[in-house]
Amino acid sequence: MRRRVVVTGIGLVTPFGVGAQRAWQAILAGSSGIRRLPQKEEFAQIPCQIAGQVPEEGEGCYDWTKFSSSDLRQTSRSVAFALTAAEEAIADSRISLGGEAGHDNVGVAVGMGMADLQDIYNTGKLLSEKRYSKISPYFVPRILTNMAAGRIGMRYGLRGPNHSVSTACTTGAHSVGDATEFIRKGWADAMVCGGTDACVSPISLAGFARLRALSTAFGDEPGKASRPFDKQRDGFVMSEGAAILVLEERELAMGRGARIYAEVIGYGLSGDGGSHMTSPDENGVGAQLCIERAMLDAGVEREQVGYVNAHATSTPLGDRAECLAIQRVFDRPIAVSSTKGHLGHLVGAAGAAEAAVTILSVHHGVITPTLNLEQTDIENRLNLVSKVTDWKDNRRIAICNSFGFGGSNASLCFANH
């Protein structure tokens, strides 16, 4: 029998602020973390004027003062978010980490979708201006996409697998799935895993805007812009943040009396195999395959799955393709919702953040709604959930989907414990 893997800790940094419970309560309340961009010259010419930024003022804001000036020189925004989310997740799990002894059987799998493009731009500008001596000696480690995993491992003395994937918007889900496999294989007894990204910068937004991927129709009503499955959807909303989970081998977690949120019972991967770099297969075949593979890995039948947390980014083509895939797999009005109406698109952190919300849904027996879903133009037989819904099944099994540019797909399957 293979080893079983459970979730014992959750940490989130999102447009709602720092804290998993803060984000969970905001989602249940039907709140949106999307706001107008700051009125700065560098954002002025970008058609999309909204984003989900981690707040730096007010209740739950990100506290930069906990970093020394030396740390700030060495640490990119995305790595800082990951360190904070990891701190919360580890404290939430009550697992004993830190100290001088180190931990040979605890590892890290944290990915990042993109390097800090603004850091690269600013450094390139210094070089073009022949100001080589002003380039930071920490420039390279600041832009390495594995540095969040590296820094977490260094902070807590973790000597298990130190792993980082960068698979665009699938990064967070791949990180959680890969960490699950490491524990199953006996390569680690526990893993700190998830994703992080900080893409709300002029150069990143400009690039996505030129792809015509971002929403532009709701500039005066930012909270209404991200609207998965809705007929008025016109693109996704860029957000930033981090999501970190603590996974443990089930018997060891139970032996130490850990609180268990859910069990990770399945992991499926696929590729679209198509010809377009940024658009999904319009028939959703790749998405269908990874959902089916996650259920096969979990050993569950389609009738046993009660909920799908969809990738659904609020794009016309992507949401339709995912609905087709889900419908073919389940062939019944299964409950489906997307978290991106509340959070926007967290890019490399999206899959892990949505996994965290799915885990909390399984744990509490509550299905979160899709914000701004008023009327769909997608022909489907699904139950597209637009209001908080009680989930009363004794055995609660959910699928969480993530799909990325380049045709990269992953699905995770969770069950209550």
Side-chain angles (χ1 to χ4, degrees), residues 118-132 134-135:
Q118 197 65 36
D119 221 350
I120 295 170
Y121 172 82
N122 292 340
T123 301
K125 192 167 182 289
L126 287 173
L127 193 60
S128 70
E129 294 170 352
K130 304 188 187 311
R131 299 168 67 192
Y132 163 79
K134 297 296 183 181
I135 293 174

Side-chain angles (χ1 to χ4, degrees), residues 165-320:
V165 299
S166 183
T167 47
C169 311
T170 325
T171 296
H174 277 149
S175 298
V176 174
D178 291 351
T180 300
E181 288 299 306
F182 296 158
I183 296 173
R184 284 176 173 178
K185 292 178 181 296
W187 297 353
D189 291 331
M191 293 290 298
V192 180
C193 62
T196 187
D197 246 321
C199 298
V200 184
S201 67
I203 191 168
S204 178
L205 288 168
F208 280 101
R210 288 293 291 160
L211 276 175
R212 299 189 177 184
L214 300 181
S215 173
T216 58
F218 294 88
D220 295 330
E221 299 178 284
K224 295 184 178 181
S226 184
R227 39 198 320 116
F229 307 123
D230 188 78
K231 66 183 296 184
Q232 294 188 76
R233 67 193 186 279
D234 74 317
F236 73 83
V237 178
M238 182 78 75
S239 292
E240 63 180 3
I244 303 293
L245 306 177
V246 174
L247 307 185
E248 298 185 57
E249 193 277 328
R250 178 177 177 268
E251 297 304 317
L252 293 174
M254 292 178 67
R256 70 176 185 86
R259 184 253 328 273
I260 294 173
Y261 284 108
E263 183 174 355
V264 190
I265 61 173
Y267 177 36
L269 306 89
S270 74
D272 279 348
S275 59
H276 201 285
M277 292 186 293
T278 59
S279 292
D281 171 11
E282 62 182 21
N283 294 312
V285 175
Q288 177 183 347
L289 284 171
C290 75
I291 296 169
E292 290 173 339
R293 288 167 181 170
M295 291 194 300
L296 180 65
D297 185 48
V300 300
E301 302 296 330
R302 63 184 183 180
E303 292 81 10
Q304 296 174 272
V305 179
Y307 168 57
V308 177
N309 184 290
H311 178 69
T313 60
S314 184
T315 57
L317 179 60
D319 292 9
R320 185 183 301 275

Side-chain angles (χ1 to χ4, degrees), residues 151-172:
R151 290 287 296 276
I152 292 168
M154 291 162 61
R155 173 174 284 188
Y156 296 101
L158 310 182
R159 291 194 283 263
N162 192 291
H163 178 69
S164 181
V165 299
S166 183
T167 47
C169 311
T170 325
T171 296

